[in-house]
Amino acid sequence: MGIWYLLLIVGLCWAQYNPNTLLGRTSVVHLFAWRWADVALECERYLAPHGFGAVQISPSNENVISDRWQPWWEGYQPISYKLCTRSGNETEFRDLVTRCNNVGVYIYVDAIINHMCGTTAGAGNHSTCGSYFNAKTENFPAVPYSVWDFNDGKCKSRSGDIEDYHDIPQVRDCRLSGLLDLALEKDYVRSKVAEYMNHLIDIGVAGFRIDAAKHMWPGDIKAFLDKLKDLNTQWFSAGTKPFIYQEVIDLGGEPITGSQYFGNGRVTEFKYGAKLGTVIRKWNGEKMAYLKNWGEGWGFVPSDRALVFVDNHDNQRGHGAGGASILTFWDARLYKMAVGFMLAHPYGFTRVMSSFRWPRYFVDGQDVNDWVGPPSNSDGSTKPVTINADTTCGNDWVCEHRWRQIRNMVIFRNVVDGQPFSNWWDNGSNQVAFGRGNKGFIVFNNDDWAMDVNLQTGLPAGTYCDVISGEKEDNRCTGSQVYVSGDGMANFQISNHAEDPFMAIHVNAKL
């Protein structure tokens, strides 16, 4: 009895760290600003067949409409917890969750809990469901919240905004960029938040990204998470807890750290993309050879507490954390290498970005168009994600998750799941390789000269299709082939001028 009880407690403690994906599906894709109708279609036609485990969707609750241009950040300024946004209404949202769940691709909602809209939003019904609000008097009758439900009295900064990131109470009790900061120590506010999240759980979502978690006290987050239901048993085993990952920007040097939030769930490891970008760009004397102890050895949070990514919707625009080193779809060649490395390496739970293009315009090093929202029609409605004949996306949707190299590395990660990091090799510079037990092997040439090496792959003998230049199709390779001999050795030749200067093989791509 004692052992059973201990196992039960351990299981409950681990629950919120488990992504709840189907066995053998190991990555989430962020379909940033997609319409619910398009997400549902993508689950059925592409994500499920290619082994994606989950989708992070944009915020699902009513937000402010700031102007006719509708910048993307409007979605992060709530007016109520009604389920209607520019991505769709509640009926469309329910349809998306049901259809994605039915094909085994689960939904994580980007939950905006820390705050409501900004102080400058005015008053009226300029919101995605048409609900009335008054930001000046802090009145949100559609929730309802009133002036008593905000942290104005607790904030000790002069302006009411966060002014000093070394002052912990200020970071957690004052306004983030003028956004009205909810008083989450009040049980009423916690209950309204939990009511919203439980509504989503009833519909069938599998987890939540907690936006701006750094700006909430960990104990307050725990208090509303403790009010959450188990996941819907139509799709999940009885007693399954929602997956929780918290946005905590911790690049070091501040008193608030990611580890302070481990009790609630995983955290977003922002150092991951910032450091990997620096290495792949070869800035500051960094080399790929230094990646041998990647992960905790680089000062990151423990692997089982990390949600990792090369870029996200904020820092691909220069917002948030990471600075100029962040690699994005704009740097396609290097970006594919970085995402390939992430998906091959065992550290963390991996998130792939799927973006939209915007008209970048730099003035004094700053992109003055970083606010531009998703591709839109003249009436402000979001354009559908169209699919081209070559399976890429149209209408200015980038769809990095459909790039052959990234899609095939999502599959690679699924194939090697559970296998150890093995057979590391490097040339002391920017040519590196490593395996995942006896299931997969990946090789990079990020040097300015050609590569021609014989390496121990750890794989069974045979002919393998390189899944970067092509894939296995009808028992043949559409790209390069790699021959592994009986002793596990293979020759790899990669030109430094190659479109994609890396190769990857796995046992499911063996002829």
Side-chain angles (χ1 to χ4, degrees):
M1 185 70 177
I3 298 255
W4 180 88
Y5 182 72
L6 185 65
L7 288 171
L8 177 69
I9 294 300
V10 169
L12 289 174
C13 289
W14 274 86
Q16 71 269 36
Y17 310 105
N18 181 356
N20 297 325
T21 51
L22 288 180
L23 192 65
R25 296 190 182 188
T26 56
S27 296
V28 55
V29 57
H30 182 191
L31 300 181
F32 179 49
W34 282 41
R35 303 181 318 150
W36 304 152
D38 290 320
V39 176
L41 280 169
E42 193 70 352
C43 284
E44 294 166 339
R45 70 192 170 196
Y46 199 86
L47 301 180
H50 292 104
F52 288 82
V55 178
Q56 177 184 313
I57 58 170
S58 288
S60 58
N61 59 306
E62 181 177 21
N63 59 264
V64 72
I65 298 174
S66 59
D67 59 46
R68 64 182 289 262
W69 304 110
Q70 293 193 257
W72 64 267
W73 47 255
E74 282 182 351
Y76 292 82
Q77 298 205 18
I79 296 302
S80 80
Y81 298 130
K82 295 177 181 177
L83 300 184
C84 42
T85 70
R86 64 189 302 179
S87 290
N89 58 33
E90 179 164 347
T91 301
E92 291 165 318
F93 182 81
R94 287 175 175 274
D95 182 60
L96 133 73
V97 174
T98 298
R99 288 167 60 186
C100 289
N101 283 357
N102 284 346
V103 293
V105 180
Y106 299 135
I107 302 299
Y108 308 148
V109 172
D110 199 348
I112 318 303
I113 304 303
N114 173 67
H115 55 262
M116 298 300 279
C117 68
T119 49
T120 59
N125 58 1
H126 48 288
S127 55
T128 50
C129 303
S131 298
Y132 174 81
F133 68 97
N134 188 326
K136 191 169 186 181
T137 62
E138 300 180 6
N139 181 30
F140 297 87
V143 178
Y145 286 141
S146 71
V147 68
W148 305 108
D149 299 316
F150 293 88
N151 269 333
D152 304 340
K154 286 180 74 177
C155 174
K156 303 302 182 204
S157 77
R158 259 192 157 148
S159 64
D161 283 6
I162 300 165
E163 297 170 356
D164 179 4
Y165 272 81
H166 291 274
D167 182 335
I168 293 177
Q170 195 177 118
V171 175
R172 290 175 173 160
D173 292 334
C174 296
R175 295 170 179 170
L176 169 64
S177 304
L179 299 166
L180 295 169
D181 200 67
L182 283 166
L184 282 159
E185 81 279 4
K186 291 185 63 174
D187 190 63
Y188 172 75
V189 177
R190 292 170 176 175
S191 295
K192 296 311 287 185
V193 166
E195 184 182 294
Y196 162 58
M197 296 174 79
N198 279 328
H199 182 41
L200 296 171
I201 288 170
D202 287 343
I203 289 170
V205 308
F208 300 93
R209 171 191 181 265
I210 307 295
D211 180 69
K214 177 179 183 173
H215 302 286
M216 296 179 266
W217 294 91
D220 289 344
I221 296 176
K222 182 181 188 306
F224 67 71
L225 292 180
D226 283 347
K227 295 176 182 285
L228 298 189
K229 300 177 179 181
D230 296 340
L231 298 187
N232 189 322
T233 54
Q234 184 177 343
W235 295 287
F236 304 98
S237 304
T240 305
K241 303 291 182 191
F243 176 46
I244 301 296
Y245 55 108
Q246 303 156 97
E247 186 203 15
V248 182
I249 298 176
D250 171 16
L251 295 176
E254 291 179 13
I256 294 178
T257 64
S259 61
Q260 293 161 14
Y261 292 81
F262 289 169
N264 298 325
R266 292 194 185 230
V267 296
T268 50
E269 180 49 280
F270 277 88
K271 290 192 283 284
Y272 190 102
K275 296 284 190 186
L276 188 57
T278 302
V279 172
I280 300 287
R281 291 181 186 276
K282 299 186 278 193
W283 287 358
N284 306 333
E286 293 285 8
K287 301 173 181 176
M288 287 191 78
Y290 300 157
L291 296 173
K292 184 175 183 179
N293 66 338
W294 183 246
E296 291 94 342
W298 280 62
F300 301 164
V301 301
S303 179
D304 60 9
R305 294 295 181 271
L307 185 290
V308 299
F309 46 97
V310 173
D311 63 329
N312 80 342
H313 68 280
D314 272 321
N315 64 19
Q316 68 174 198
R317 291 167 169 74
H319 293 226
S325 72
I326 296 297
L327 288 166
T328 72
F329 69 89
W330 298 107
D331 321 287
R333 188 171 187 262
L334 297 180
Y335 183 70
K336 286 179 280 185
M337 291 178 70
V339 176
F341 184 91
M342 174 183 78
L343 291 169
H345 196 280
Y347 176 84
F349 182 64
T350 48
R351 181 178 64 197
V352 172
M353 186 66 197
S354 193
S355 318
F356 58 81
R357 278 181 202 83
W358 70 95
R360 290 201 301 180
Y361 185 66
F362 289 94
V363 176
D364 298 327
Q366 287 293 112
D367 178 8
V368 296
N369 284 340
D370 62 0
W371 58 271
V372 172
S376 300
N377 299 305
S378 55
D379 64 356
S381 61
T382 301
K383 285 185 177 178
V385 178
T386 53
I387 308 301
N388 301 322
D390 64 357
T391 78
T392 60
C393 297
N395 271 351
D396 277 330
W397 297 98
V398 181
C399 294
E400 299 96 314
H401 69 285
R402 280 175 167 259
W403 294 2
R404 179 192 65 246
Q405 302 86 343
I406 292 176
R407 175 199 69 217
N408 284 348
M409 285 308 300
V410 167
I411 295 168
F412 179 103
R413 189 174 190 81
N414 291 344
V415 173
V416 304
D417 188 30
Q419 292 289 310
F421 178 75
S422 58
N423 290 306
W424 174 270
W425 172 88
D426 66 72
N427 69 341
S429 184
N430 290 290
Q431 296 177 4
V432 304
F434 63 89
R436 294 294 302 278
N438 61 359
K439 294 285 183 71
F441 195 74
I442 191 164
V443 187
F444 296 87
N445 179 14
N446 199 29
D447 272 327
D448 297 327
W449 58 87
M451 175 184 196
D452 185 349
V453 290
N454 297 311
L455 299 174
Q456 175 55 247
T457 66
L459 299 186
T463 302
Y464 292 79
C465 299
D466 167 37
V467 299
I468 303 304
S469 59
E471 54 218 332
K472 179 183 172 184
E473 210 173 82
D474 300 326
N475 213 36
R476 65 179 185 86
C477 300
T478 62
S480 302
Q481 294 184 351
V482 175
Y483 304 95
V484 176
S485 60
D487 59 359
M489 297 295 290
N491 176 257
F492 293 90
Q493 298 179 23
I494 304 175
S495 166
N496 52 306
H497 300 298
E499 178 192 352
D500 296 304
F502 66 113
M503 299 177 79
I505 56 176
H506 59 74
V507 292
N508 286 10
K510 182 169 178 270
L511 295 182

